[in-house]
Amino acid sequence: MSAQSVTILGATGSIGQSTIDVIKRHPDRFTVHALSANRRMAELAQIACDTRASCVVVPDDAAATQFKKAWSNVAPMPDVRVGPQALAQTAAENQTDIVMAAIVGIAGLASIFAAAKAGKKILLANKESLVAAGSLLMTTVAEHGATLLPIDSEHNAIFQCLPSCSETNNLVSRAGVQKLILTASGGPFRTLDLESLASVTPEQACAHPNWEMGRKISVDSATMLNKGLEVIEAHWLFNVSADQIDVLIHPQSIVHSMVQYTDGSVLAQLGNPDMRTPIAHALGFPTRIDAGVDMLDLTRQGRLEFEAVQPQRYPCLELAFDALRAGQGACIALNASNEVAVEAFLQGKIGYLDIARIVSQTLDWQARSHQDDIACLDDVLANDAAARTFATHCSQTIGTITS
């Protein structure tokens, strides 16, 4: 069996680094064709050297210059490509078999669509692509014979717990499925008294109890907007309605998600909280391969706890369900306004509770002023830009009031 070539979009992030760790354990199965990064050019240069990548993609000429300065290796320098168009072309080119889509935010959208149109095996770690363009993406995947495998631990768990399907372009069946149950750690403020939420800092919000993640996704975990995005993802990945999706708090992050069947059975996927497990599952699918993850020892774990979600503690989760029921335009507004609000919070311009306020105001604005006519990727980007403009105005207004 010849080795499969992998392109990693977002190579310097936590998902990208975990992907590289798994690939290095299987040099006979995988090679790295291309890497991309938005920042941290010195780190990208080191990764490119270690993996012997053929090419790298960087955002602009300044980043390209930084990369070349950081390249102090005797090995030949990889081809350095610049800009979003190069990113999409690299994801679609013949030298790539598998695309790890780990770019955070709407910036990863065009390259994912390019990979789908090229019929690639896509390992999806970008929530925003399904949240903002779920219908378009799933249609594109089906029309071009691409394979879409979820990398989020929750969706990967559901994928493993669903029955397999022999239909063309469909890897799982919903036969006998009653509900999908997504688990959530509850984040760092699960037990904090509600009155104290108004004064929490970005540093506190980024201190996730179980996972090592970037700052933006850590804040999303604290607000559970991240879980709301996963609810919308689950709707598109597994073709279920909002009423067929539940969320449970599970502080230990050992049960990654569950599927409830009509006969009363509940199937769950368990494992230590390590993203290399879903990455290895998707890279090797349908074969199981070593991920380098310690085996789960339930006797040491002791007990597994589950709690209902408190709506007053996590208003962003309910906003996500509202957006899913409202339609694709609302989902775009949800994601866009959250990105704006979280960035403002991380910069100290607004308070923690203002994140939900800005998202709610943007959803109200979207309901009054926009339709759900999302026919192409340009429509998605236009709606996204409009929502960001409104959310930015909201954050500036709130910041002026609180300063």
PDB file of all heavy atoms in Angstrom, residues 26 159 169 201 204 258 280 282 297 307 334 387 389-390:
ATOM      1  N   HIS A  26       3.500   6.854  11.693  1.00  0.00           N
ATOM      2  CA  HIS A  26       3.150   5.957  10.588  1.00  0.00           C
ATOM      3  C   HIS A  26       3.816   6.426   9.292  1.00  0.00           C
ATOM      4  O   HIS A  26       3.133   6.766   8.316  1.00  0.00           O
ATOM      5  CB  HIS A  26       1.619   5.912  10.425  1.00  0.00           C
ATOM      6  CG  HIS A  26       0.891   5.484  11.650  1.00  0.00           C
ATOM      7  ND1 HIS A  26       0.725   4.160  11.999  1.00  0.00           N
ATOM      8  CD2 HIS A  26       0.311   6.220  12.644  1.00  0.00           C
ATOM      9  CE1 HIS A  26       0.058   4.088  13.140  1.00  0.00           C
ATOM     10  NE2 HIS A  26      -0.200   5.317  13.554  1.00  0.00           N
ATOM     11  N   PHE A 159     -19.912   9.720  15.150  1.00  0.00           N
ATOM     12  CA  PHE A 159     -19.633   8.975  13.924  1.00  0.00           C
ATOM     13  C   PHE A 159     -19.300   7.515  14.234  1.00  0.00           C
ATOM     14  O   PHE A 159     -19.763   6.600  13.555  1.00  0.00           O
ATOM     15  CB  PHE A 159     -18.472   9.649  13.187  1.00  0.00           C
ATOM     16  CG  PHE A 159     -18.076   8.972  11.905  1.00  0.00           C
ATOM     17  CD1 PHE A 159     -18.818   9.130  10.759  1.00  0.00           C
ATOM     18  CD2 PHE A 159     -16.938   8.189  11.851  1.00  0.00           C
ATOM     19  CE1 PHE A 159     -18.449   8.519   9.569  1.00  0.00           C
ATOM     20  CE2 PHE A 159     -16.553   7.571  10.675  1.00  0.00           C
ATOM     21  CZ  PHE A 159     -17.312   7.736   9.527  1.00  0.00           C
ATOM     22  N   ASN A 169     -21.657   7.878  -1.098  1.00  0.00           N
ATOM     23  CA  ASN A 169     -21.388   9.185  -0.486  1.00  0.00           C
ATOM     24  C   ASN A 169     -22.012   9.344   0.892  1.00  0.00           C
ATOM     25  O   ASN A 169     -22.272  10.449   1.345  1.00  0.00           O
ATOM     26  CB  ASN A 169     -21.871  10.320  -1.398  1.00  0.00           C
ATOM     27  CG  ASN A 169     -21.102  10.388  -2.694  1.00  0.00           C
ATOM     28  OD1 ASN A 169     -19.927  10.076  -2.711  1.00  0.00           O
ATOM     29  ND2 ASN A 169     -21.757  10.773  -3.767  1.00  0.00           N
ATOM     30  N   THR A 201     -11.922  37.239  33.843  1.00  0.00           N
ATOM     31  CA  THR A 201     -10.921  37.784  32.933  1.00  0.00           C
ATOM     32  C   THR A 201     -10.677  36.849  31.751  1.00  0.00           C
ATOM     33  O   THR A 201     -11.004  35.648  31.808  1.00  0.00           O
ATOM     34  CB  THR A 201      -9.594  37.991  33.678  1.00  0.00           C
ATOM     35  OG1 THR A 201      -9.069  36.700  34.046  1.00  0.00           O
ATOM     36  CG2 THR A 201      -9.793  38.843  34.926  1.00  0.00           C
ATOM     37  N   GLN A 204      -8.732  33.797  32.875  1.00  0.00           N
ATOM     38  CA  GLN A 204      -9.556  32.781  33.538  1.00  0.00           C
ATOM     39  C   GLN A 204     -10.372  32.002  32.511  1.00  0.00           C
ATOM     40  O   GLN A 204     -10.515  30.780  32.616  1.00  0.00           O
ATOM     41  CB  GLN A 204     -10.481  33.446  34.550  1.00  0.00           C
ATOM     42  CG  GLN A 204      -9.778  34.005  35.773  1.00  0.00           C
ATOM     43  CD  GLN A 204     -10.711  34.820  36.642  1.00  0.00           C
ATOM     44  OE1 GLN A 204     -11.471  35.654  36.158  1.00  0.00           O
ATOM     45  NE2 GLN A 204     -10.667  34.566  37.948  1.00  0.00           N
ATOM     46  N   MET A 258     -22.628  10.551  22.737  1.00  0.00           N
ATOM     47  CA  MET A 258     -23.432   9.328  22.773  1.00  0.00           C
ATOM     48  C   MET A 258     -24.520   9.373  21.704  1.00  0.00           C
ATOM     49  O   MET A 258     -24.905  10.454  21.240  1.00  0.00           O
ATOM     50  CB  MET A 258     -24.083   9.166  24.155  1.00  0.00           C
ATOM     51  CG  MET A 258     -23.095   9.008  25.295  1.00  0.00           C
ATOM     52  SD  MET A 258     -23.890   9.001  26.934  1.00  0.00           S
ATOM     53  CE  MET A 258     -23.938  10.766  27.272  1.00  0.00           C
ATOM     54  N   ALA A 280      -6.363  10.256  14.557  1.00  0.00           N
ATOM     55  CA  ALA A 280      -5.902   8.941  14.083  1.00  0.00           C
ATOM     56  C   ALA A 280      -7.051   8.143  13.490  1.00  0.00           C
ATOM     57  O   ALA A 280      -6.888   7.452  12.476  1.00  0.00           O
ATOM     58  CB  ALA A 280      -5.254   8.177  15.229  1.00  0.00           C
ATOM     59  N   ALA A 282      -9.705   9.295  11.957  1.00  0.00           N
ATOM     60  CA  ALA A 282     -10.047   9.816  10.642  1.00  0.00           C
ATOM     61  C   ALA A 282      -8.939   9.577   9.616  1.00  0.00           C
ATOM     62  O   ALA A 282      -9.212   9.247   8.456  1.00  0.00           O
ATOM     63  CB  ALA A 282     -10.354  11.310  10.744  1.00  0.00           C
ATOM     64  N   ASP A 297      -8.076   3.943  31.594  1.00  0.00           N
ATOM     65  CA  ASP A 297      -8.176   3.064  32.755  1.00  0.00           C
ATOM     66  C   ASP A 297      -9.335   3.563  33.616  1.00  0.00           C
ATOM     67  O   ASP A 297      -9.198   4.514  34.391  1.00  0.00           O
ATOM     68  CB  ASP A 297      -6.868   3.093  33.549  1.00  0.00           C
ATOM     69  CG  ASP A 297      -6.870   2.100  34.708  1.00  0.00           C
ATOM     70  OD1 ASP A 297      -7.957   1.573  35.058  1.00  0.00           O
ATOM     71  OD2 ASP A 297      -5.783   1.867  35.287  1.00  0.00           O
ATOM     72  N   GLU A 307     -24.430  16.201  34.151  1.00  0.00           N
ATOM     73  CA  GLU A 307     -25.312  17.231  34.685  1.00  0.00           C
ATOM     74  C   GLU A 307     -26.094  17.863  33.541  1.00  0.00           C
ATOM     75  O   GLU A 307     -25.615  17.921  32.405  1.00  0.00           O
ATOM     76  CB  GLU A 307     -24.500  18.332  35.390  1.00  0.00           C
ATOM     77  CG  GLU A 307     -23.548  17.853  36.457  1.00  0.00           C
ATOM     78  CD  GLU A 307     -22.570  18.943  36.866  1.00  0.00           C
ATOM     79  OE1 GLU A 307     -22.740  20.098  36.388  1.00  0.00           O
ATOM     80  OE2 GLU A 307     -21.635  18.644  37.630  1.00  0.00           O
ATOM     81  N   LEU A 334     -24.632  34.137  13.902  1.00  0.00           N
ATOM     82  CA  LEU A 334     -24.185  33.604  15.193  1.00  0.00           C
ATOM     83  C   LEU A 334     -22.672  33.485  15.220  1.00  0.00           C
ATOM     84  O   LEU A 334     -22.005  33.981  16.139  1.00  0.00           O
ATOM     85  CB  LEU A 334     -24.824  32.239  15.435  1.00  0.00           C
ATOM     86  CG  LEU A 334     -24.348  31.482  16.676  1.00  0.00           C
ATOM     87  CD1 LEU A 334     -25.187  31.863  17.892  1.00  0.00           C
ATOM     88  CD2 LEU A 334     -24.408  29.964  16.452  1.00  0.00           C
ATOM     89  N   ALA A 387     -22.792  40.794   9.140  1.00  0.00           N
ATOM     90  CA  ALA A 387     -22.983  40.475  10.558  1.00  0.00           C
ATOM     91  C   ALA A 387     -21.803  40.968  11.388  1.00  0.00           C
ATOM     92  O   ALA A 387     -21.985  41.461  12.513  1.00  0.00           O
ATOM     93  CB  ALA A 387     -23.180  38.972  10.738  1.00  0.00           C
ATOM     94  N   THR A 389     -19.915  43.527  10.745  1.00  0.00           N
ATOM     95  CA  THR A 389     -20.015  44.982  10.847  1.00  0.00           C
ATOM     96  C   THR A 389     -20.983  45.380  11.957  1.00  0.00           C
ATOM     97  O   THR A 389     -20.680  46.261  12.777  1.00  0.00           O
ATOM     98  CB  THR A 389     -20.472  45.581   9.502  1.00  0.00           C
ATOM     99  OG1 THR A 389     -19.512  45.275   8.496  1.00  0.00           O
ATOM    100  CG2 THR A 389     -20.634  47.089   9.610  1.00  0.00           C
ATOM    101  N   PHE A 390     -22.137  44.724  11.984  1.00  0.00           N
ATOM    102  CA  PHE A 390     -23.112  45.043  13.028  1.00  0.00           C
ATOM    103  C   PHE A 390     -22.577  44.676  14.408  1.00  0.00           C
ATOM    104  O   PHE A 390     -22.687  45.447  15.361  1.00  0.00           O
ATOM    105  CB  PHE A 390     -24.426  44.305  12.767  1.00  0.00           C
ATOM    106  CG  PHE A 390     -25.490  44.616  13.790  1.00  0.00           C
ATOM    107  CD1 PHE A 390     -26.298  45.732  13.653  1.00  0.00           C
ATOM    108  CD2 PHE A 390     -25.666  43.804  14.897  1.00  0.00           C
ATOM    109  CE1 PHE A 390     -27.267  46.039  14.604  1.00  0.00           C
ATOM    110  CE2 PHE A 390     -26.631  44.095  15.859  1.00  0.00           C
ATOM    111  CZ  PHE A 390     -27.429  45.220  15.700  1.00  0.00           C
TER     112      PHE A 390
END
